Every structure is written in C-alpha cells, then in structure tokens.
Amino acid sequence: MTMNTSASFSTCDFCDAHKADDSGDFRVLAPVFKDFGGRTSFHGQVLTVKCYQDNSHVKKAVESDGLGRVLVVDGAGCLQRALLGGNLAAAAARHGWAGVVVYGCVRDLSEISVLPMGIRALALNPMPTVRADQGQTGVTVLVQGTLVHTGDWLYADSDGMVLSRHALHIS
C-alpha cells in the first residue's frame, strides 16, 4: 500500500460503474463535507477512529505510519470542538497519510490548507478537544447513515467521496 495522489480517477465514473450495486460493497458518503486540505483528490485504504470531543486516538493514529491510508474519524457530527488541527494534520502529512475525513470539525485552516493531503470535515471550529484517552480505533463507524469499515477503500475528488470494500481501478 503506497500513497499515490497523482493517479487519476472520478467518483462519478465509479458511481456510474456501481450504480446497480446493492450489496453494500460500494457506498457514497453524504455530501455534507467541506474540503480543507491542500489536495482535493485523494484515496487510500481506511483506518477508522470513533471519538467524541477527545482526539487522543486521532493523535495516536496520525503519529503512526500512514502508508497512504485515509483516516476516517467519527466524531458523531459534533460541532463544539475540533478533532484535527494544524499540528496533528502536519503529523499526518509527515507520516504518509493520504487524507483525513472528520465527521466533526477541524481547525487551523491556514496551516492545514497548505498540507499535501486531503482533509475533509463538516466545519471549522477553533476550540480544541480534551485528551482523556477516550475513543476506539479500527471499529466500524456510522457516518451520516453510511457504514465505514477499517480496510475499506475511500476515494475523494471534487464531486464527493465513495467507499468500496475492494480497491477500485484507477488510471
């Protein structure tokens, strides 16, 4: 698994190819996320974190080898605190994460917007989290009604984000 951000793909093409797939192997994330990172197109295998107003598990994840993966953080859609900021996003970029998708908030826009990775979240909020080592890593999460599993593949571009249980062909 390597980071390949130069590959070309289209989430619309993936949706055209999988529009009749009702197996649950191919899913589309709800179009509620905003783009905050330095790359609008990114993809990789997923690692999940589930947490609420505590980014301890996010910190542990982004400080580990990303191997071109995408961290999907289920922050329960909470808008009161940011689960990712400039320091943790910079750590993610240094450790080879292709992207971070936060079902919640991020902060430090001037810092995260220039990083060579994708960052999507619901909104910005300057309030940091507490760190009490609460949360779970590698569990199945529910993001806006869509199941996300560690090991899924996430593809994001300017049209949206899709998930697949298996890697999809890209050019």
Side-chain angles (χ1 to χ4, degrees):
M1 199 172 4
T2 60
M3 184 159 52
N4 185 357
T5 54
S6 62
S8 175
F9 62 87
S10 164
T11 57
C12 290
D13 289 346
F14 289 152
C15 287
D16 289 346
H18 296 275
K19 64 185 169 192
D21 183 348
D22 60 358
S23 69
D25 286 350
F26 183 84
R27 296 152 334 268
V28 177
L29 282 176
V32 296
F33 293 89
K34 296 177 183 160
D35 188 14
F36 297 107
R39 292 212 170 113
T40 56
S41 292
F42 59 96
H43 71 280
Q45 203 161 21
V46 169
L47 174 67
T48 61
V49 165
K50 183 174 185 167
C51 57
Y52 184 76
Q53 295 193 20
D54 179 341
N55 68 355
S56 301
H57 283 252
V58 175
K59 183 178 189 308
K60 288 176 193 172
V62 300
E63 290 177 346
S64 69
D65 288 335
L67 305 170
R69 292 178 293 173
V70 175
L71 182 65
V72 176
V73 180
D74 176 2
C78 179
L79 301 177
Q80 281 73 41
R81 294 180 182 267
L83 294 171
L84 182 81
N87 292 335
L88 294 186
R94 269 194 318 275
H95 287 97
W97 290 87
V100 180
V101 176
V102 179
Y103 184 41
C105 291
V106 296
R107 65 188 222 150
D108 298 320
L109 181 61
S110 63
E111 296 173 39
I112 67 176
S113 65
V114 297
L115 293 173
M117 62 184 294
I119 299 173
R120 304 264 174 108
L122 297 178
L124 293 167
N125 188 321
M127 183 62 74
T129 69
V130 295
R131 289 215 181 111
D133 201 26
Q134 301 296 307
Q136 299 171 291
T137 300
V139 298
T140 298
V141 297
L142 189 64
V143 175
Q144 281 279 304
T146 302
L147 288 173
V148 182
H149 313 277
T150 288
D152 281 345
W153 288 82
L154 184 140
Y155 299 84
D157 66 11
S158 55
D159 286 308
M161 292 186 285
V162 300
L163 294 156
S164 176
R165 289 199 199 262
H166 309 285
L168 301 173
H169 176 71
I170 56 179
S171 55

